[in-house]
Amino acid sequence: MALPVTVSRVKIYVHGVVQGVGFRPFVFNLAKRLHLQGFVCNNGGIAEIEIEGKQEDIDAFLQELRQKPPLLACIEKIDWQTCPVSAHSRGFQIIESKNDGLGARFVPPDIATCNQCLTELFSRSDRRYLYPFINCIDCGPRFTIIESLPYDRQATTMRKFKMCALCQAEYDDPGNRRFHAQPNSCHDCGPELFLQISERERLCGPQALLAAKELLQKNHVLAVKGLGGFHLLGNALNEQVVETIRKLKSRKHRPLAVMFCDVTSLNEYCHLDGSESSLLESSQRPIVLLRKKKAGKLPEAIAPGLDEIGAMLAYTPLHHLLLKSCAFPLVATSANKRGYPILTDNEQALEQYGKYAVLFHNREIHSGYDDSLVRSQGGRNSTLRRARGLAPGQLRLPFPARVPALAVGGHLKSTFCAARGFEARISQHLGDIETIERLENYEKTFLLYEKLFDIQPQLIAADLHPHYQTTIFAETFANGRGLPLIKVQHHHAHAASVMAENSIDSALAVVFDGTGLGTDGNLWGGEFLHTSYHQFERLGHLENIPMPGGEAAVKNPWRMALGFAAQHGLLKEDALMSELLGALEERYGKKELSGVIAQIEKNINAPLTSSCGRLFDAVSALISPACRPTYEGQAAMELESVARQCSCSRRELSKVGLKYELDSTIIKTSILFHSVQEALMRGHGRECVARAFHMAVCDFIIDVLEILRSKTGDSKVCLAGGVFQNTLLSAMTEQRLHEENFQVFLPKKLPINDGGISFGQVVVALSKLGS
C-alpha cells in the first residue's frame, strides 16, 4: 500500500522588477509544469504567489524562481512562509491584481522590439505583418504608457483599445508569448497610424506608412511619434536634409543622433568593438557614442568639429518599417523646441511641424522620454544620459532611509531622486531646467513618481545654489508641506553619488566640472575632497581665476582665456598675448574686448572660479580660436577631438614643455595656460599641444593625490564631474592611478555628470538627518 503524499502550501512575496516583464505568465507556466496548485497576482509593487503541492516540487519551484526568472525581471528579494493547505485549490491561476500596500513599487522601462516580433513584423503570412505597434511580453511600451499601479491594461493609456477576439485569446493563453502582455493589439483593435501632409490631406493606416516611406526616400523631413516622444527624421547622408533639421531645431552645432537599421549597416560609418555592438543591440537600444570612420559618408554637419557621433539602432516597429525602406541611415533627433520638454502631444506636433509632414499615432504617451546616451570605454560602459530603456531605475542606498526623502538634483542635465527604505529611484533625464516649460514638466514628472511609487517625502534635499530652479522648487515644496530642507554642496553630492554606488563610506574625490557654488561663495569646479556621506573637507583645488561676465564666459571661451592671462599678469605687456588680443579684437571688436579687460581689472561681474571645465575652455580658445560654442561643453569636446589626432608617446609629449606649479595642494593653472601659449608660439602642432595638455592635467591630479594620500592615509579615489566624460582624460587618469596603487571608483549605472548628483544629494541629506 502506497504511503500518503504530504502536501504543503507556501505564500511567497517577490520584490523587484516583476511587473510588466512577463513574471506572472512565467510563474503560471512553472507552477503548471511542476503540478502545483495556487495563484499568482500583482499586489502593490510586488508579486504575490501561493503554491500548494509536494515539498520537493515546492523546493524546485523556489530554486527556479531564484535562478531562472524572466530575462527582463530583476528580483531584489524573495520572502516566503508556510500557510494552511487549502481544501478548495483547483489548478493554478493568475488572479486579479490587488493593492495591499505591500513592498516597494518597481516599474519596468520601455523595451526595444524583440527578434520574434521583428520576424512576425516582416512575415507576409503573419496577421501582424507590417503592424507598427507589434509587441509581446518581452518588448514594447511600459513606463511611457503607465498611469498607475499595479501594472494592468486598465492602468495604462492602452485601456481605450479593446482587444479583438484573437488578441484576447492570445492574452488569455498561458502558452502564448502575449499571455498578459498589457499593450497587446493588432491591425484590427490597436493604435492607428496617421500622416498629416498638409492642412487638407491626412492619410491613415498602411497608406500613411507607405506615404511616409516615400517622403523619406525623396529627402523630406518628417516629425515622427515614437515611444517616448516625437523625433525629426531625415536622410542622414543628405547635407540639405541635415541643414533643414538644424534650422527646425535651432541647433547650430550640437551633434545630431543617427539611427541605423542594424549593426552591419552602421559598421560602414563607425568603428565598432564587441562591447559597443552589445550596447547597440541590447533591449535598451541607447544612443552609443562611436568613433567615425574617415572613409564614412556622413556629412561633417552631423557632428561638427568632433570625431565621434551618437548612433543607435531602430527600437520600435515603426522605426524598423521606415528604415527597412531606406537605403540610408536617418538623423533621429528629438523634435522639441529648444528649452522645451520632449514633445509628446499630437496637436502640438501638428501645430509646430504642419508645414512639413507629421507621422503620428493615437496611443497616448503619458510620460515623455528622451533617448539614453552611453559609451563603452576599455570594456566598461558608462552612462551619460539615463532615459528611455534605463529609467526609471532604482539603486540601493548604503543605509536605510530613516524617512522617505526627495532630492531635486541640479540645474543642468537634471534628474530627481526619491528614496525610501533601502531603495532610491532616479528619474529619467529631464534636461536643463532653464524655462518655465521645463520646470512644469519636471514638477509633473515628480508628481507621477510620487503617485506610482507611493513615496510621500518627509525630507527634501537641494543644491546650495539659491538661483537654480530646482532649488527654488525644493524651497517652495518644503515650505508648502512643512518639511525640512537640507542643502548639499554640489561637489560633495557628486562624490557621494559615486561612493554610494560603489558601497564605500569614505574616499578621496577628484570632482572636475563646469561650476558649482562653493561654501566660500566662489564657483568651484576643480576640487580635491576627502569625503564621507555626512561631511567633506576641501583639501585641494585649482587656482581661482576671474570669470569675466559670469555666465557669458561659459559661452565665450576667449573670455576665460583673458581671465587666465590676467591671473598670470600677461594682459598688458606680454608678447605672447599680442597675437591673441589682435585676433580677438578683429573677431569681436575693440569695444567688446576692452570691456572684458575692464571687467577683469576692475573686478566687475568677474566671479572667481576654480573650474576645470573653464580651464579646458580657455585652452580651447588658444588651440581653436575660431570656436564660439553654441552648446554646453562644445569647446572641451572639440579640444578632446583635436587631442585624439596626436599619437605621440608620453616621452614625445614631454618635449612640448607644458608645466604647472603646486602651491601646497593648489594647482597654478595660469602657469599651465601660459605654457600652452609658449608651446604654440614655438611651433608645436595644435594636436600635440592639446594632447600634452590632457597629459598635464592627468599629471597634476596624480601629484595632488599623492600628497593627500600621505596626509589622510586614504588610497581610495572617486572620479566625478562632467569633465571626466572626456574619455582621453579619464582613461589616462585611471591608468596612472592604478599604476600608483590607488583604488579607483567611477559611477556604474549613473552619469558622471550632473545627471547623477540627485542620488548623492539624497544620500548626504539622509546621513545628516541620522547624525
Side-chain angles (χ1 to χ4, degrees):
M1 181 172 151
L3 294 172
V5 176
T6 302
V7 174
S8 302
R9 190 176 183 92
V10 174
K11 182 185 284 290
I12 305 165
Y13 296 114
V14 187
H15 303 254
V17 180
V18 291
Q19 296 188 19
V21 292
F23 191 77
R24 288 176 297 174
F26 160 78
V27 168
F28 178 93
N29 287 307
L30 176 59
K32 296 287 279 187
R33 177 159 53 84
L34 293 172
H35 309 291
L36 296 168
Q37 301 183 70
F39 67 84
V40 61
C41 69
N42 287 334
N43 189 344
I46 69 170
E48 179 182 338
I49 306 166
E50 285 195 21
I51 49 172
E52 182 176 306
K54 294 187 289 185
Q55 187 60 49
E56 58 263 35
D57 293 332
I58 291 175
D59 292 341
F61 178 93
L62 287 168
Q63 182 176 5
E64 194 155 340
L65 194 67
R66 291 188 183 96
Q67 297 178 357
K68 299 179 181 179
L71 181 64
L72 299 173
C74 181
I75 294 176
E76 294 286 323
K77 67 172 180 173
I78 299 174
D79 296 325
W80 63 274
Q81 62 190 46
T82 57
C83 56
V85 172
S86 171
H88 305 291
S89 267
R90 295 291 183 271
F92 195 89
Q93 298 176 294
I94 295 178
I95 65 171
E96 188 175 341
S97 297
K98 50 188 178 178
N99 192 358
D100 296 336
L102 296 176
R105 296 182 172 196
F106 295 82
V107 181
D110 298 78
I111 305 159
T113 309
C114 70
N115 289 332
Q116 285 180 283
C117 281
L118 279 180
T119 299
E120 294 171 347
L121 182 65
F122 293 107
S123 173
R124 291 181 179 275
S125 61
D126 195 275
R127 72 186 189 93
R128 291 187 176 87
Y129 175 58
L130 303 185
Y131 178 53
F133 308 100
I134 189 171
N135 68 85
C136 70
I137 203 66
D138 293 324
C139 68
R142 296 293 191 272
F143 194 85
T144 53
I145 63 171
I146 291 174
E147 295 178 344
S148 62
L149 292 176
Y151 176 57
D152 292 307
R153 192 180 183 101
Q154 289 305 308
T156 74
T157 60
M158 282 296 294
R159 67 178 175 275
K160 65 184 281 189
F161 303 101
K162 180 176 173 58
M163 283 183 279
C164 66
L166 288 174
C167 286
Q168 188 67 53
E170 292 171 332
Y171 184 89
D172 294 334
D173 179 6
N176 194 284
R177 206 174 79 254
R178 295 184 171 89
F179 182 43
H180 277 250
Q182 304 306 333
N184 188 32
S185 62
C186 69
H187 288 287
D188 296 330
C189 65
E192 192 171 8
L193 200 61
F194 302 91
L195 177 68
Q196 189 80 29
I197 300 175
S198 66
E199 290 183 4
R200 297 181 180 180
E201 188 175 6
R202 178 178 291 190
L203 304 175
C204 63
Q207 285 184 313
L209 179 62
L210 182 61
K213 292 177 180 179
E214 291 173 351
L215 287 172
L216 287 172
Q217 291 164 356
K218 293 176 180 177
N219 293 324
H220 287 258
V221 174
L222 272 67
V224 178
K225 188 177 183 180
L227 204 55
F230 279 84
H231 280 116
L232 293 178
L233 297 185
N235 184 353
L237 303 184
N238 186 291
E239 291 190 11
Q240 188 175 349
V241 169
V242 174
E243 183 60 29
T244 298
I245 290 175
R246 287 203 171 279
K247 287 179 180 177
L248 286 170
K249 281 283 291 181
S250 298
R251 179 181 284 188
K252 193 172 182 180
H253 298 117
R254 185 186 290 270
L256 299 169
V258 181
M259 182 179 284
F260 294 84
C261 185
D262 50 38
V263 166
T264 302
S265 60
L266 194 160
N267 195 51
E268 197 178 323
Y269 304 94
C270 298
H271 298 281
L272 274 175
D273 63 24
S275 59
E276 289 165 338
S277 296
S278 296
L279 278 173
L280 286 160
E281 294 180 317
S282 68
S283 63
Q284 292 81 28
R285 287 293 199 280
I287 298 172
V288 181
L289 290 178
L290 302 172
R291 297 285 296 278
K292 292 188 286 189
K293 285 184 175 178
K294 290 182 179 178
K297 300 175 184 176
L298 289 172
E300 172 65 15
I302 293 285
L306 303 179
D307 61 353
E308 60 185 6
I309 65 162
M312 62 177 155
L313 301 185
Y315 58 83
T316 71
L318 181 55
H319 292 143
H320 284 283
L321 290 167
L322 293 174
L323 275 163
K324 195 81 169 179
S325 66
C326 298
F328 46 79
L330 296 172
V331 170
T333 188
S334 57
N336 53 294
K337 291 181 181 178
R338 187 171 184 174
Y340 281 72
I342 294 298
L343 179 61
T344 61
D345 183 76
N346 291 341
E347 293 305 316
Q348 288 183 10
L350 290 168
E351 182 181 339
Q352 289 181 31
Y353 298 108
K355 292 181 181 179
Y356 295 84
V358 182
L359 186 64
F360 64 101
H361 55 77
N362 56 350
R363 184 183 69 208
E364 182 187 345
I365 297 172
H366 189 64
S367 185
Y369 264 68
D370 207 337
D371 295 309
S372 291
L373 178 63
V374 303
R375 68 158 24 112
S376 179
Q377 178 185 341
R380 186 185 69 244
N381 300 333
S382 58
T383 301
L384 304 180
R385 182 170 70 210
R386 288 181 71 261
R388 176 192 48 78
L390 298 179
Q394 52 279 328
L395 294 176
R396 191 165 179 83
L397 291 167
F399 49 81
R402 289 179 59 189
V403 297
L406 166 70
V408 299
H411 178 58
L412 303 177
K413 300 176 178 64
S414 190
T415 63
F416 59 78
C417 178
R420 185 175 68 178
F422 274 103
E423 304 299 333
R425 287 176 177 78
I426 298 93
S427 75
Q428 69 265 36
H429 167 84
L430 296 168
D432 303 343
I433 312 301
E434 297 177 321
T435 62
I436 291 296
E437 291 79 10
R438 284 264 176 92
L439 180 60
E440 288 174 346
N441 182 62
Y442 178 100
E443 293 174 353
K444 172 190 168 186
T445 307
F446 165 67
L447 291 174
L448 175 64
Y449 272 63
E450 189 177 40
K451 174 184 175 183
L452 285 180
F453 300 119
D454 192 27
I455 295 177
Q456 302 296 322
Q458 301 300 308
L459 173 68
I460 311 298
D463 194 273
L464 274 183
H465 203 299
H467 301 311
Y468 284 0
Q469 288 299 321
T470 51
T471 303
I472 296 169
F473 165 75
E475 290 171 343
T476 304
F477 186 87
N479 290 336
R481 299 198 184 184
L483 301 177
L485 171 65
I486 293 177
K487 292 191 176 182
V488 180
Q489 200 281 323
H490 190 85
H491 303 92
H492 186 198
H494 265 303
S497 179
V498 179
M499 288 166 53
E501 255 209 278
N502 287 279
S503 301
I504 55 175
D505 54 15
S506 68
L508 295 169
V510 185
V511 188
F512 285 1
D513 63 0
T515 52
L517 184 63
T519 54
D520 61 359
N522 289 328
L523 298 174
W524 294 3
E527 309 310 309
F528 293 84
L529 311 177
H530 192 218
T531 182
S532 65
Y533 299 133
H534 177 64
Q535 60 190 3
F536 74 95
E537 187 178 2
R538 189 191 195 200
L539 297 181
H541 60 86
L542 274 58
E543 177 182 15
N544 280 328
I545 302 294
M547 192 172 163
E551 189 66 23
V554 178
K555 299 175 182 177
N556 297 277
W558 63 271
R559 286 175 173 255
M560 282 309 307
L562 292 179
F564 275 89
Q567 187 71 12
H568 200 63
L570 302 177
L571 272 186
K572 291 185 177 178
E573 298 178 1
D574 192 277
L576 287 173
M577 286 302 297
S578 60
E579 185 178 342
L580 176 62
L581 291 173
L584 292 176
E585 184 175 319
E586 183 178 341
R587 188 169 290 115
Y588 303 109
K590 186 174 183 178
K591 183 177 180 181
E592 184 170 0
L593 180 61
S594 299
V596 173
I597 292 173
Q599 278 185 309
I600 296 170
E601 292 176 338
K602 297 177 181 179
N603 193 24
I604 300 171
N605 190 23
L608 295 177
T609 182
S610 59
S611 167
C612 191
R614 301 291 78 82
L615 171 63
F616 271 78
D617 286 350
V619 171
S620 173
L622 296 177
I623 290 176
S624 303
C627 176
R628 192 165 190 175
T630 58
Y631 64 90
E632 193 240 345
Q634 179 181 347
M637 290 165 66
E638 292 188 11
L639 180 63
E640 180 186 0
S641 291
V642 172
R644 276 204 289 254
Q645 295 171 31
C646 170
S647 57
C648 293
S649 67
R650 182 175 177 84
R651 177 176 294 181
E652 290 169 328
L653 286 175
S654 66
K655 296 175 183 177
V656 175
L658 298 193
K659 56 185 180 291
Y660 55 86
E661 291 180 7
L662 296 184
D663 181 0
S664 182
T665 53
I666 297 175
I667 303 100
K668 293 289 188 179
T669 48
S670 60
I671 293 174
L672 176 58
F673 174 84
H674 182 59
S675 70
V676 169
Q677 287 181 288
E678 290 179 319
L680 292 169
M681 288 289 285
R682 289 196 302 270
H684 288 286
R686 61 196 289 266
E687 297 86 358
C688 294
V689 175
R691 194 174 188 95
F693 167 72
H694 281 74
M695 188 175 77
V697 173
C698 172
D699 288 346
F700 71 58
I701 290 173
I702 304 300
D703 287 349
V704 173
L705 287 174
E706 290 281 18
I707 295 170
L708 298 185
R709 175 164 59 181
S710 297
K711 181 177 181 178
T712 64
D714 203 335
S715 61
K716 299 187 296 296
V717 175
C718 294
L719 301 181
V723 167
F724 287 111
Q725 292 176 130
N726 181 315
T727 55
L728 183 58
L729 176 64
S730 59
M732 279 182 179
T733 305
E734 189 175 3
Q735 180 181 342
R736 287 288 312 283
L737 286 169
H738 284 305
E739 289 171 358
E740 300 299 330
N741 297 315
F742 287 94
Q743 294 175 270
V744 189
F745 299 93
L746 293 107
K748 294 178 178 178
K749 295 181 179 180
L750 294 179
I752 202 167
N753 57 43
D754 282 8
I757 67 167
S758 62
F759 182 54
Q761 287 174 344
V762 88
V763 168
V764 171
L766 286 168
S767 71
K768 288 179 180 290
L769 187 71
S771 63

